[in-house]
Amino acid sequence: MMGTGTTGHGPNGPWDARDGRDGRDTTGRLLRAATGSGARLIAEAATLVQGWAVLADPIAGAVYSAPAAAAADGVHAAAAPHDHPYSVQLPAAGAVLVLAPAPATPAEHTGHVAATTAALLEVRGQRAAELRGEQMRLHTTLLRLLLAGHADAVVDALGGGAYTHVTVYRLTGEDTPAAHQVLWRAVRPTLAPHADACTLLGRLDGELVVAEVHRGSDDGRILRLVSRLCERHGLLAGMAGPLPLAEMSTAYCDAAAARHSATPAHRIVPADAIGAPRLAPLLPAAPYARWAAAVLRPLDPAQQHLLLVWLRTGSKPSAAEALGLSAGTVRARIREAARLLDADLEDATVRAHLLLALRAPAPADSDAAADSDAAADADAASGSDSGSGSGSGSGSGSDEAALRNAGEARLEALPDGILDTGVVRAWAGGLVDGLEPRLRIALTCWLRHHARTAPAATELHVHRTTLTTWLHQCADHLAQNLADATVRAEIHLALRITRCGPDAPADLPRRGGRTYRRA
């Protein structure tokens, strides 16, 4: 493709016919540059036209630019050639070659340089494609080694760089194979250490997995590329990290859990965006953290992580996929966790409480955060009770009661008064107030059945299509993504906090048979 105003810039045009020697010299210079690198080839082309040259990729932006300051102009010219009639644009190796010659450069010469450069870029691209399959298999092997816990071996294979952290992306969609090729060209991955990061790309079990191994700081370059790739190819992605290299398997699972919350409106979701419920920061820190530590005491970290992935993905098959385990193994481990917790994990309220417990702050952190509040309360109390001598005694009794309550903590009930604060009730009211009675009852029933439409519709005595329509109305009214398991858990708690009646299916407003009226 060529920009407007480039008539006579065709390949092998009059320049060669008029002066074959100069044409051969130009071709020779470009050939020698091409044997070095793509960057040298672009730099030589810019020199020959006495202007600038850019190879622009639709995903990566400027692949090569000479000079570097011309990168933005080259990308803009490739995207809008009619706005740059003075430049020449030619497709080359899946990207666009843009040449902007000096005014004194003959048009025929510019056309010859452009055609030769584009052809050499195609040759380099074909050679790279021949080697790409072997390189992709090596990247996949390194990803599997990381997941198996062999981080030291992977670091050695990457050149022994001081890599300490990893950021993981997991992408799915119908166009995953093509997206893999595009992202490979955009990232231009290499196993030789460069700058402070090295990117591994591979397809594992039908997914596109991207692991950026770096030295503790993530510059966001891969995130920007993945975001553009998701938009262009209609993919959904989850992101986790940066985490220490030794926690690669955790980041891998968290990225899959996050991907389950991705939608066409938000195609890439960070794991921390769904991992921390909005309700948790509103709860009184000290009693909340002590309760969470007490109820989770029977579980080891691996069991807690499995439960967290299960609750965030919303189903056992999805959790099994994220964890790389069989569905039967996940079910068995959840049953064992339920036994250790002595709780019914099939109850929607228990699940919502468990999610809160798994995302609670550490007791030491919460106590430190609450020290200033406690000191202020003590100062206020001393003003009214000075000289009473009861301060130390009441404090001791309070500590003993807290220890007793910690030993008796259960998932079925949160600590007394923890949801009765004004800020929590304001949050719950702001989330679910305004729902019509039929929608509130239907949503409560659906959440109690763990977002399963068929059993909820049966209990409500409505058709599944009717219930689906109502749920869409609930989502629109609440402005929430009901496909997100964390969102559903919070809405379930908000409905319980603001409940004025049983919200039972029997209370569903009716007007003859299956016809319902607005309240």
Side-chain angles (χ1 to χ4, degrees):
M1 118 186 115
M2 288 190 182
T4 58
T6 57
T7 305
H9 289 223
N12 300 322
W15 180 265
D16 282 351
R18 185 178 68 235
D19 195 337
R21 183 178 59 81
D22 287 349
R24 287 192 297 273
D25 288 346
T26 298
T27 302
R29 290 176 61 177
L30 291 171
L31 279 170
R32 286 190 294 273
T35 59
S37 66
R40 285 181 57 186
L41 176 58
I42 294 299
E44 189 64 37
T47 301
L48 287 170
V49 299
Q50 300 178 0
W52 54 261
V54 174
L55 182 65
D57 183 273
I59 297 294
V63 180
Y64 305 119
S65 176
D73 290 337
V75 172
H76 187 268
H82 294 289
D83 294 341
H84 297 265
Y86 56 85
S87 64
V88 177
Q89 299 94 26
L90 287 177
V96 178
L97 172 65
V98 183
L99 290 182
T105 304
E108 296 82 357
H109 177 61
T110 301
H112 174 63
V113 172
T116 305
T117 304
L120 291 172
L121 287 170
E122 290 287 354
V123 172
R124 288 183 58 85
Q126 291 173 8
R127 177 58 180 160
E130 294 173 359
L131 301 175
R132 191 176 300 156
E134 194 66 30
Q135 292 173 335
M136 286 181 172
R137 285 191 289 273
L138 177 57
H139 276 235
T140 301
T141 300
L142 292 175
L143 285 172
R144 293 191 184 279
L145 285 173
L146 273 179
L147 289 172
H150 302 293
D152 292 340
V154 173
V155 170
D156 289 341
L158 298 179
Y163 298 122
T164 59
H165 288 72
V166 63
T167 303
V168 179
Y169 305 83
R170 294 179 67 174
L171 298 84
T172 57
E174 295 181 358
D175 208 15
T176 300
H180 187 192
Q181 299 288 337
V182 171
L183 189 60
W184 184 278
R185 290 198 304 268
V187 175
R188 303 193 305 281
T190 174
L191 298 186
H194 64 91
D196 294 322
C198 185
T199 304
L200 300 176
L201 302 174
R203 292 177 61 196
L204 303 179
D205 303 322
E207 292 183 347
L208 176 56
V209 179
V210 183
E212 185 183 14
V213 183
H214 47 81
R215 297 170 184 170
S217 60
D218 187 345
D219 61 5
R221 172 175 172 264
I222 300 301
L223 174 59
R224 291 190 293 272
L225 291 176
V226 170
S227 297
R228 291 200 290 266
L229 187 77
C230 289
E231 292 296 333
R232 182 174 290 269
H233 292 270
L235 306 182
L236 300 179
M239 166 193 171
L243 287 175
L245 266 176
E247 299 181 27
M248 169 67 181
S249 58
T250 300
Y252 186 74
C253 297
D254 288 350
R259 192 192 59 234
H260 283 278
S261 296
T263 65
H266 299 89
R267 292 191 174 276
I268 179 167
V269 176
D272 55 7
I274 66 166
R278 297 176 183 86
L279 175 59
L282 305 178
L283 301 179
Y288 169 38
R290 285 196 294 267
W291 166 80
V295 297
L296 296 177
R297 188 175 293 119
L299 304 179
D300 60 34
Q303 291 171 318
Q304 293 183 28
H305 183 253
L306 182 142
L307 290 175
L308 182 60
V309 172
W310 169 50
L311 294 173
R312 285 162 58 177
T313 56
S315 70
K316 297 181 181 71
S318 297
E321 178 188 354
L323 293 165
L325 302 172
S326 69
T329 299
V330 170
R331 292 189 184 96
R333 294 183 182 180
I334 291 176
R335 285 196 298 270
E336 175 63 14
R339 184 188 67 78
L340 293 173
L341 293 170
D342 190 21
D344 179 14
L345 296 186
E346 294 305 313
D347 183 82
T349 302
V350 171
R351 288 191 189 183
H353 290 173
L354 178 58
L355 184 59
L356 282 178
L358 290 167
R359 279 305 180 188
D365 297 339
S366 63
D367 290 342
D371 280 346
S372 60
D373 294 339
D377 293 342
D379 291 342
S382 64
S384 58
D385 300 332
S386 58
S388 65
S390 61
S392 59
S394 62
S396 175
S398 174
D399 291 341
E400 293 175 0
L403 290 173
R404 281 198 308 274
N405 291 337
E408 300 170 358
R410 295 184 58 81
L411 277 173
E412 287 79 358
L414 291 170
D416 290 341
I418 199 171
L419 296 180
D420 292 336
T421 63
V423 65
V424 171
R425 290 194 171 277
W427 165 82
L431 184 59
V432 300
D433 276 356
L435 278 175
E436 297 180 23
R438 64 185 176 92
L439 297 182
R440 183 184 176 97
I441 292 172
L443 182 59
T444 300
C445 181
W446 181 69
L447 293 174
R448 190 169 62 251
H449 286 281
H450 307 303
R452 293 196 295 266
T453 303
T458 300
E459 184 177 356
L460 291 165
H461 298 289
V462 299
H463 195 276
R464 283 175 294 178
T465 303
T466 301
L467 178 56
T468 301
T469 301
W470 289 356
L471 292 173
H472 286 312
Q473 293 173 2
C474 289
D476 292 340
H477 177 84
L478 301 174
Q480 298 289 330
N481 175 22
L482 296 183
D484 190 321
T486 300
V487 171
R488 294 199 299 268
E490 291 191 341
I491 293 175
H492 175 78
L493 290 177
L495 289 169
R496 290 179 61 86
I497 292 169
T498 59
R499 184 174 59 187
C500 297
D503 286 338
D507 297 328
L508 193 67
R510 303 176 184 271
R511 187 179 60 190
R514 290 173 176 261
T515 304
Y516 297 84
R517 62 177 174 81
R518 292 179 179 271

